Amino acid sequence: MWRTHFHADYIGGELSYYNKQLLNYPYVKNGMKKLVVAIWLIFLFGAAVALFWYNEFVYQLPTPVPKNYTPVYQGQFISLGGQLKKENKQPVFLHFFNPDCACSRFNITVFKSLVKQYGSQVKFAVVVLNNSYYTARQIQDKLGLNIPVTFDQSIARACGVYSTPQVALLNSRHELYYRGNYNRSRYCTNEKTNYAAIAIKGILGMQPKLAFNQLALRAYGCRLPDCNK
């Protein structure tokens, strides 16, 4: 019995010794490091994908309509004040912007492309909707554009806007032609639902009225003015 027990301990000791030696080989260590790194990268990638789709799902939820909201309809006259009230024979594109809203930041690129493409035919202006203090110059720097900026929040009420980012496109008589979303996608990547561009093309093509679906007209994005979904 003593010999059997001793022999088992000996064999166990030898196996343990060889296992330790095996783990000390460089290629085994490198393989384990690569495996740990690969698992960590897969985890990070999965977390990033999950976060992306979660944000996209949240964006697809319509922004709650405020209490006592007064609808504004296509063709309704919109009274503009301040520098936007100046005589203008071009259509007016109002970009409702909240610097603290992630959705507003995501569509800066597409807004800049619209200004670049149609700036000679349409008067573009930014309506800032935020309780924090910003100067017009700060907003222009954030957007990388030298266009009129107003902080008159009454314009949002006049246009029926209660979330950002939103568009209000007025004809030369300041009648509402389109009020709604830039795109169905939060990142403005869906070419088929570039509603803002479609509206501009329609008004420049002298089409008296375009029919937009609820995906264009139902507000998505950040609530005003505190950027809460």
Side-chain angles (χ1 to χ4, degrees):
M1 292 295 291
W2 176 83
R3 289 185 178 183
T4 304
H5 180 70
F6 174 80
H7 184 65
D9 286 345
Y10 177 75
I11 294 175
E14 289 298 310
L15 289 176
S16 176
Y17 171 79
Y18 284 122
N19 285 337
K20 289 179 181 180
Q21 292 302 311
L22 182 64
L23 290 175
N24 285 329
Y25 287 151
Y27 70 88
V28 174
K29 285 187 174 181
N30 290 337
M32 292 184 65
K33 288 180 180 179
K34 290 180 181 179
L35 178 61
V36 171
V37 171
I39 293 173
W40 180 244
L41 290 176
I42 292 172
F43 171 78
L44 291 178
F45 177 76
V49 171
L51 181 61
F52 173 86
W53 285 112
Y54 172 78
N55 288 331
E56 190 70 10
F57 168 75
V58 171
Y59 178 73
Q60 292 176 5
L61 300 176
T63 305
V65 180
K67 294 180 180 179
N68 303 321
Y69 173 71
T70 302
V72 180
Y73 300 101
Q74 194 172 17
Q76 189 168 327
F77 174 77
I78 306 298
S79 178
L80 299 177
Q83 60 180 325
L84 300 182
K85 193 177 181 180
K86 295 178 181 178
E87 187 66 25
N88 177 52
K89 295 182 180 180
Q90 294 179 323
V92 179
F93 186 106
L94 300 175
H95 171 55
F96 293 91
F97 178 69
N98 183 346
D100 298 331
C101 172
C103 299
S104 283
R105 294 194 295 270
F106 288 143
N107 84 330
I108 287 177
T109 300
V110 71
F111 176 60
K112 290 175 67 173
S113 69
L114 292 175
V115 175
K116 181 179 180 180
Q117 186 173 359
Y118 300 105
S120 61
Q121 301 167 278
V122 177
K123 182 179 178 64
F124 286 85
V126 181
V127 183
V128 179
L129 304 172
N130 188 281
N131 283 336
S132 302
Y133 178 78
Y134 289 93
T135 65
R137 187 63 185 173
Q138 286 175 320
I139 299 300
Q140 290 171 338
D141 289 343
K142 284 180 179 292
L143 297 175
L145 296 168
N146 186 22
I147 58 177
V149 175
T150 179
F151 298 87
D152 185 357
Q153 298 195 9
S154 67
I155 296 176
R157 293 190 294 272
C159 295
V161 170
Y162 55 89
S163 71
T164 55
Q166 284 275 284
V167 178
L169 181 62
L170 317 180
N171 62 22
S172 58
R173 298 183 298 275
H174 288 186
E175 297 167 342
L176 184 64
Y177 183 82
Y178 171 71
R179 188 239 15 265
N181 304 308
Y182 275 84
N183 196 297
R184 181 65 184 93
S185 169
R186 184 187 195 196
Y187 303 95
C188 298
T189 55
N190 191 331
E191 292 292 333
K192 294 181 180 180
T193 61
N194 281 334
Y195 303 123
I198 293 171
I200 292 177
K201 292 175 182 177
I203 202 168
L204 294 179
M206 305 299 290
Q207 298 183 41
K209 189 175 183 180
L210 288 180
F212 292 94
N213 59 34
Q214 287 301 307
L215 294 179
L217 304 178
R218 185 184 294 119
Y220 298 88
C222 301
R223 294 186 195 179
L224 298 177
D226 298 319
C227 190
N228 295 318
K229 182 59 184 167

